[in-house]
Amino acid sequence: MRTLKLSSLLLLGLLPLASHAHKTWLLPSATVVTVDQWVTVDAAVSNNLFYFDHVPLRIDTLEITAPDGSTVKPENVGAGKYRNTFDVHLAQNGTYRIAVKNIGLSAFYEENGQRKRWRGTPESFAKEVPADAANLQVSESVGRIETFVTAGKPTTTAFKLTNRGLELVPVTHPNDLYADEEATFAFVLDGKPAANLPVTIVPGGTRYRDSQNEIEVTTDADGRFSITWPAPGMYWLEARLEDSKTSIPQAKQRRVNYVATFEVLPQ
Amino acid sequence: MRRSVFKSSSLITVILAALAAAPASAGELAVRVQIPRIDVAEYHRPYVAIWIENPDQSIASHLAVWYQTDPKKEDGTQWLKDLRQWWRRGGRELTVPIDGVTGATRPVGEHRIVFKSDSPQLAKLAPGKYGLVVEAVREVGGREIVKIPFEWPSASKQVLTSSGKTELGTITLELLP
């Protein structure tokens, strides 16, 4: 009993570490389609892009925004050993945003000499974590993992900002990307331009080459960055930062993360 | 006897052609597209888009789009996006079918489409430099684009050609002033 508890605690303790080392992603079966078609999406956490070699990405907080701003339910949801999958019916003309949002607090503390770990929301924190908890360490995370799919003509209504965490603003539309052409995007942090933010872009297909071939760029004063796509294919993009803009005073640190999958088409 | 009849009728054709070419408004643009025979186990007729592009590659005029229109088969519009360049440049903004533009896929052979200068496809074309673009894509096959630059309207009769290597044969653009 005791060993079991210990091992599960160890496992939990390792989780945040694991999420740093691995790549999270949503991979759509197509990004440019005609209206009334379907796409199927894989959700996974892996070392290699885009292969299912580690664990599925949880999709409890999946949010699919239709071109008209409404929320669409995923269909045929499946849970696998290495990936979760779901289908999206593209009934409307325009761009759909498919996003997994991870917003929450995590805490470590001691109660009666026992080390405890807690996860929850700012609302549940006061109720569930004892006010006199010893050695309390609280951190907040705001993460977004997304991809975009367009039926017909690309639109931008689904990009409505939530003004929380890192969000991508399309200058070039993410479903209008072509090899050898330059694309420009902007990042906002809590709705304001995210200047000087490092952004990492990795082309898919890493299993069949010896290096990651990362492309590193940094946003300018307006939060903008540009990239010229070296070849057609699927690309993984990540930006992350840490700050102290937490929603409760007990949390000293906030981790903000953004991941997106883009498809770059041949000319 | 037979020969003389033939001769006189061809003379009439020449006269008619001369008359048709005479007025300034009778400019004409014709495109001949060769769809080559391809020796494969599973052959499907290609989807073909033919359009006129501006120097910035935006579409000045859609001339023809041939796709699977048979209502008894699966909805053929879902593969229009595979005409990748046409889709990007403007196909995705259209609702098909379009009268006088869209039609069924064509078999192997040469196909000719003709437009008068006062046709809906050409009437709004301002004088200037353009490109004729022919894009073909075949199910379980390849994709190819052939471009022919030209000026409109043409001061003289011109025949411009270019050839594809895989999915398209010779493309001929005939311009009449």
Side-chain angles (χ1 to χ4, degrees), chain B residues 23-35:
Chain B
S25 64
E28 191 179 286
L29 181 153
V31 183
R32 275 190 282 146
V33 175
Q34 271 180 4
I35 297 177

Side-chain angles (χ1 to χ4, degrees), chain A residues 22 52 56 66-67 77 81-83 105 182 219 226 228 245 251 265:
Chain A
H22 293 92
F52 320 111
V77 178
K81 176 75 179 163
Y82 288 136
R83 61 175 169 166
L105 292 168
E182 188 183 69
T219 60
S226 295
T228 300
K245 291 175 188 162
L265 295 173

Side-chain angles (χ1 to χ4, degrees), chain B residues 32-106:
Chain B
R32 275 190 282 146
V33 175
Q34 271 180 4
I35 297 177
R37 183 170 301 280
I38 296 170
D39 192 17
V40 287
E42 184 186 344
Y43 179 80
H44 301 275
R45 291 178 182 180
Y47 275 35
V48 176
I50 306 168
W51 72 95
I52 296 172
E53 70 172 13
N54 293 305
D56 68 355
Q57 293 185 293
S58 63
I59 295 184
S61 179
H62 296 269
L63 299 184
V65 182
W66 302 333
Y67 66 100
Q68 196 277 100
T69 53
D70 187 346
K72 285 176 291 203
K73 293 184 178 166
E74 217 180 330
D75 173 22
T77 62
Q78 64 182 298
W79 300 294
L80 283 171
K81 55 153 181 82
D82 294 334
L83 289 163
R84 211 162 54 220
Q85 197 62 220
W86 172 76
W87 186 254
R88 166 191 191 181
R89 299 298 176 191
R92 65 192 182 190
E93 291 171 35
L94 303 177
T95 305
V96 291
I98 305 162
D99 206 27
V101 176
T102 58
T105 53
R106 308 273 182 110

Side-chain angles (χ1 to χ4, degrees), chain A residues 1-263:
Chain A
M1 185 66 189
R2 203 187 177 103
T3 25
L4 217 157
K5 250 189 184 163
L6 190 70
S7 67
S8 60
L9 271 173
L10 272 171
L11 199 72
L12 277 170
L14 281 170
L15 268 177
L17 248 171
S19 72
H20 274 264
H22 293 92
K23 294 179 170 71
T24 56
W25 39 268
L26 292 171
L27 183 70
S29 58
T31 59
V32 173
V33 295
T34 52
V35 73
D36 211 29
Q37 295 299 305
W38 292 71
V39 290
T40 189
V41 182
D42 291 308
V45 181
S46 75
N47 277 322
N48 286 308
L49 294 170
F50 288 91
Y51 306 102
F52 320 111
D53 62 10
H54 185 50
V55 291
L57 173 70
R58 293 186 62 161
I59 53 169
D60 321 23
T61 54
L62 177 68
E63 193 178 278
I64 304 167
T65 311
D68 68 357
S70 65
T71 303
V72 177
K73 276 193 175 160
E75 299 193 43
N76 306 319
V77 178
K81 176 75 179 163
Y82 288 136
R83 61 175 169 166
N84 288 322
T85 61
F86 56 92
D87 294 344
V88 184
H89 183 208
L90 310 166
Q92 299 173 26
N93 252 306
T95 301
Y96 286 72
R97 176 164 72 176
I98 302 167
V100 171
K101 294 194 286 183
N102 293 316
I103 297 175
L105 292 168
S106 65
F108 285 104
Y109 59 92
E110 280 164 28
E111 190 178 31
N112 306 323
Q114 291 251 354
R115 192 157 158 78
K116 302 259 185 178
R117 187 170 199 274
W118 171 90
R119 267 175 185 271
T121 63
E123 294 70 42
S124 62
F125 181 83
K127 276 179 266 169
E128 294 169 11
V129 178
D132 58 350
N135 293 325
L136 177 67
Q137 279 184 305
V138 188
S139 71
E140 188 167 352
S141 62
V142 181
R144 176 179 278 275
I145 300 155
E146 61 188 11
T147 193
F148 307 93
V149 175
T150 295
K153 189 183 175 181
T155 56
T156 54
T157 34
F159 291 82
K160 194 166 181 282
L161 294 177
T162 64
N163 296 329
R164 182 129 191 230
L166 275 175
E167 291 174 279
L168 187 89
V169 179
V171 179
T172 305
H173 195 286
N175 291 141
D176 216 1
L177 309 178
Y178 302 90
D180 306 321
E181 285 186 19
E182 188 183 69
T184 302
F185 305 106
F187 267 116
V188 289
L189 176 64
D190 302 331
K192 294 185 190 75
N196 218 17
L197 177 73
V199 180
T200 303
I201 297 153
V202 183
T206 56
R207 189 191 282 170
Y208 305 115
R209 59 177 190 258
D210 293 335
S211 59
Q212 291 288 314
N213 292 1
E214 289 142 329
I215 301 164
E216 307 277 357
V217 288
T218 305
T219 60
D220 65 13
D222 299 320
R224 289 191 179 208
F225 68 98
S226 295
I227 170 178
T228 300
W229 307 102
M234 302 298 298
Y235 285 77
W236 182 84
L237 177 149
E238 185 190 48
R240 57 167 72 235
L241 61 89
E242 285 180 14
D243 64 17
S244 54
K245 291 175 188 162
T246 55
S247 50
I248 59 165
Q250 290 91 337
K252 303 296 178 218
Q253 183 200 46
R254 181 175 76 153
R255 289 200 199 102
V256 188
N257 188 35
Y258 179 91
V259 168
T261 308
F262 298 116
E263 184 175 29

